[in-house]
Amino acid sequence: MKIIKFNCIVFGLLALANALHAQDTKVPNVPQLTLKEALEIALQNNYDIKLSKNSSAIAKNNVTIGNAGILPNVAGTFTQSNSIQTTTQTRSDNTVNRINNANNTGTNYGVNLNWTIFDGFNMFANYDQFKQQDKLAQMRLRDTIQRTTANVIISYFDLVNQQKQIKALQGVIEVSRKQIRFATDRFEAGRVARLDVYNAQVALNTDTATLLTQQQLFKASKVDLNRILARNPQTEFNVADTIIVDEKLLLGNIINEAQAQNPTLLSASIEQRLSEINLRQVKSTRYPQVAISSGYIWNNSRNPAGFARVQNSRGFNYGLSASINIFDGFNQWRRERNAKLQIENSQINIDRARTNLEAQIGQLYSSYLSGLQLIKVGQANVELARKSLEISLEKYRLGSISPLEIREAQRNYLNATAVFYDAEYQTKAAETTLKQITGNISIQ
């Protein structure tokens, strides 16, 4: 009876392991999401990209000579006034004239033109500012697209990496299942103690818990990728099985391309030009401000109590105005000094961005080279660990090694696969980030 009960426990554990092994990472009846498709979805749906596109469109719309103040302003006006008044008038001959509830009306309408024809070249500085802001918005849009593309690629291959880890764990669970069967057969034959079966059960339980944790992490990573793609977080999909690393990146090419194309560095240069334009705008207030005005006015009025009871007039008016800042409490000097300091800060920002960029490239390229070496070593190591595990399992079946020895073979295999798959993923992540820095991301 004890043996029957013991067998039920063992078979229950095997059934649980079988169920977990059956839960493959591939979702049935769900098509595979390719990396290209994921990138297309992200470029269409991602919220950050949409916001950057709108900001870029706004900056582009602002690049007009009218917005810069170069063109005149023309406005039409219309005014109508009414009043009811009682008026008493005493004339020079002492006669009194009284008018009750007189209705006074006035109508004024016309077209006015105001045009600043000289403002110390500030209007031209404004136009240059809008053009540079348009370039900066386009650069930020490009940077957002590059960053989103890199996030999609890294997240996608993170799923591929986790999927490989799950398959490796499922393989180890398969070995643990066989180990339980072998231990149970040998226990029933009286060749080993029950402790060997218990050890096999513990190994299976440990591997099962590890697999459950890895599967949960895999599901959470799927939700995160769906978030980047800006779609339903619970959308199911399958991913590819392989990670292909570009092994042809050269440090010299990366540095040269980053100097010419890196969005952060280019944005810092544009911001420096904006600081220089700001100084031009500040200096413009040292010059005279000259404007002309003109218009054509129609005026109709009725005043029963007035000397002229009805009056109509129309005509053309024009004028010229000019002003110049003579003294403003030294504020002009202060603004110019601050503008010059801002130019110095912008140059410091460029130098800092260049230094940070070179340091980041150095670190990433070092990780990239190390990863390539780890991939070569790890691939051979996985194959050796797999063969060692197969041999150890056969020896365990024959009773020539202990449970601890086969467990050690399982650990070695898992460690070898973890190092190899992680090296593939980390190297791909370093490659992707390097290409993002240089603005050369592709999906190959």
Side-chain angles (χ1 to χ4, degrees):
M1 180 64 69
K2 290 183 179 180
I3 292 177
I4 295 175
K5 183 178 180 181
F6 179 72
N7 285 340
C8 289
I9 296 174
V10 172
F11 289 138
L13 289 171
L14 291 175
L16 175 60
N18 278 326
L20 287 172
H21 185 69
Q23 293 177 5
D24 195 2
T25 55
K26 297 291 185 180
V27 182
N29 302 322
V30 173
Q32 176 175 303
L33 176 68
T34 66
L35 179 57
K36 182 179 180 180
E37 291 170 344
L39 290 172
E40 289 174 350
I41 294 172
L43 292 176
Q44 182 178 1
N45 295 345
N46 184 265
Y47 298 122
D48 291 336
I49 293 178
K50 287 183 176 180
L51 290 171
S52 293
K53 284 182 177 179
N54 287 341
S55 297
S56 179
I58 291 172
K60 187 175 184 64
N61 292 337
N62 286 337
V63 185
T64 65
I65 57 176
N67 190 32
I70 297 176
L71 298 179
N73 293 321
V74 179
T77 62
F78 177 83
T79 304
Q80 184 175 33
S81 61
N82 296 276
S83 65
I84 299 177
Q85 296 179 345
T86 296
T87 304
T88 301
Q89 298 175 335
T90 303
R91 299 173 179 171
S92 59
D93 59 357
N94 292 324
T95 60
V96 177
N97 182 31
R98 182 180 180 87
I99 303 174
N100 296 319
N101 299 322
N103 188 8
N104 303 314
T105 64
T107 302
N108 184 292
Y109 53 93
V111 178
N112 295 317
L113 178 146
N114 293 287
W115 192 359
T116 300
I117 57 176
F118 182 75
D119 61 354
F121 308 104
N122 183 61
M123 61 182 72
F124 302 106
N126 290 340
Y127 189 60
D128 290 340
Q129 180 187 45
F130 294 140
K131 289 191 290 185
Q132 293 301 322
Q133 288 174 342
D134 180 30
K135 291 181 180 179
L136 183 61
Q138 292 179 25
M139 189 59 60
R140 287 174 176 170
L141 172 59
R142 177 185 169 190
D143 187 31
T144 300
I145 293 174
Q146 292 282 318
R147 289 180 184 276
T148 303
T149 300
N151 287 338
V152 171
I153 293 174
I154 292 174
S155 298
Y156 186 90
F157 285 117
D158 181 34
L159 285 171
V160 176
N161 174 40
Q162 293 183 45
Q163 182 174 257
K164 289 184 174 185
Q165 301 280 6
I166 288 174
K167 288 183 177 179
L169 282 167
Q170 289 172 339
V172 169
I173 285 178
E174 183 66 26
V175 172
S176 296
R177 292 167 60 224
K178 292 179 180 180
Q179 186 180 350
I180 285 182
R181 285 200 297 268
F182 294 159
T184 302
D185 293 341
R186 293 165 63 190
F187 169 72
E188 292 177 351
R191 296 170 57 190
V192 296
R194 184 176 295 178
L195 180 61
D196 283 8
V197 182
Y198 287 159
N199 287 335
Q201 291 175 7
V202 171
L204 178 61
N205 290 343
T206 301
D207 296 337
T208 301
T210 303
L211 178 60
L212 285 171
T213 301
Q214 188 63 50
Q215 287 176 333
Q216 180 58 37
L217 180 62
F218 183 73
K219 292 179 181 178
S221 298
K222 272 190 172 182
V223 171
D224 189 58
L225 180 56
N226 281 328
R227 177 190 61 80
I228 298 175
L229 302 183
R231 64 180 187 176
N232 188 338
Q234 304 306 321
T235 301
E236 281 293 354
F237 60 92
N238 295 317
V239 294
D241 299 312
T242 57
I243 298 177
I244 300 176
V245 178
D246 184 357
E247 301 180 4
K248 299 179 181 180
L249 299 185
L250 298 176
L251 181 59
N253 293 342
I254 292 172
I255 293 176
N256 292 335
E257 291 173 353
Q259 295 285 356
Q261 300 179 161
N262 179 258
T264 301
L265 196 57
L266 293 177
S267 295
S269 297
I270 294 174
E271 288 172 351
Q272 183 185 42
R273 290 195 288 273
L274 285 170
S275 298
E276 294 169 350
I277 292 172
N278 179 59
L279 178 60
R280 290 167 52 194
Q281 292 172 322
V282 171
K283 285 185 174 181
S284 69
T285 56
R286 286 185 175 274
Y287 295 90
Q289 311 291 306
V290 181
I292 60 175
S293 61
S294 179
Y296 197 89
I297 301 297
W298 290 264
N299 183 33
N300 299 313
S301 64
R302 300 175 65 85
N303 185 1
F307 180 78
R309 295 187 177 183
V310 178
Q311 180 173 318
N312 297 318
S313 63
R314 66 177 182 269
F316 178 75
N317 64 77
Y318 54 92
L320 175 70
S321 64
S323 65
I324 188 170
N325 177 26
I326 299 176
F327 180 73
D328 64 351
F330 304 107
N331 284 319
Q332 179 68 29
W333 177 88
R334 175 184 57 80
R335 289 193 296 268
E336 290 183 12
R337 179 58 181 164
N338 289 342
K340 291 176 182 178
L341 289 173
Q342 189 58 47
I343 294 175
E344 292 181 17
N345 284 344
S346 62
Q347 181 59 52
I348 293 173
N349 285 332
I350 291 176
D351 296 338
R352 179 176 61 181
R354 184 178 290 111
T355 300
N356 292 341
L357 182 64
E358 291 174 355
Q360 186 182 14
I361 290 174
Q363 293 171 349
L364 287 170
Y365 194 75
S366 178
S367 298
Y368 168 77
L369 292 180
S370 299
L372 291 178
Q373 295 175 346
L374 285 173
I375 289 174
K376 294 177 181 178
V377 174
Q379 191 170 16
N381 201 32
V382 167
E383 186 61 22
L384 290 174
R386 183 185 62 80
K387 291 180 180 179
S388 175
L389 180 58
E390 291 175 354
I391 294 172
S392 298
L393 182 61
E394 180 62 19
K395 286 185 176 181
Y396 181 79
R397 186 183 69 82
L398 298 174
S400 60
I401 63 173
S402 66
L404 292 178
E405 290 176 297
I406 189 171
R407 189 59 180 166
E408 185 65 22
Q410 286 178 298
R411 289 196 190 98
N412 290 338
Y413 174 72
L414 276 180
N415 289 337
T417 56
V419 170
F420 173 58
Y421 296 148
D422 191 60
E424 277 191 326
Y425 167 67
Q426 294 297 339
T427 307
K428 187 64 180 180
E431 171 211 320
T432 300
T433 307
L434 285 171
K435 290 182 176 180
Q436 176 216 326
I437 289 173
T438 59
N440 290 322
I441 287 184
S442 67
I443 62 174
Q444 300 299 324

